[in-house]
Amino acid sequence: QVVPATPEEVEQFLILNPVEQHAQDKFRGLNPQAQRWVINRGSLDNAKDRTGAFIGRMVSVERAANGQVQVPPGDWICQNCGDHQFARNLVCRSCGAPKSM
């Protein structure tokens, strides 16, 4: 089970990863479990367009959280960050968390 993000963690993430106001508002409006997945995917430091990358991350997490991701047999959704993983991956390619059995 995903540990929900606290409001303090959400604000700290936004301080460390500055994005446009509309993206901040969208993030604050996500459910706390989805916020945790977004945070666990890590920093936006390497993104050319932080706001665009952040919005893309939120959309991806929302799809996974709502069960809108078609997962082929053997593939898995990372319980730490919500990223879709191929069956061959033993750890998440996004956050490095091990595959849960």
Side-chain angles (χ1 to χ4, degrees):
Q1 186 66 299
V2 179
V3 176
T6 65
E8 295 79 17
E9 290 171 317
V10 167
E11 296 307 316
Q12 184 66 28
F13 185 83
L14 291 172
I15 289 168
L16 296 174
N17 298 279
V19 293
E20 294 174 23
Q21 187 65 45
H22 66 95
Q24 293 179 31
D25 295 342
K26 179 174 177 59
F27 184 51
R28 289 184 181 109
L30 291 178
N31 76 56
Q33 288 84 4
Q35 289 172 334
R36 168 66 60 206
W37 277 359
V38 170
I39 290 169
N40 286 354
R41 287 196 181 185
S43 169
L44 298 167
D45 284 346
N46 294 326
K48 285 185 180 182
D49 175 3
R50 285 181 181 217
T51 298
F54 190 50
I55 290 172
R57 183 182 291 186
M58 287 188 284
V59 167
S60 173
V61 161
E62 285 179 310
R63 284 185 183 145
N66 294 330
Q68 297 173 331
V69 176
Q70 294 287 341
V71 181
D75 285 8
W76 52 285
I77 300 292
C78 176
Q79 294 302 303
N80 189 54
C81 73
D83 195 37
H84 174 207
Q85 301 299 309
F86 298 116
R88 68 178 177 266
N89 297 341
L90 298 179
V91 298
C92 176
R93 61 190 166 91
S94 183
C95 73
K99 180 178 182 177
S100 56
M101 298 298 168

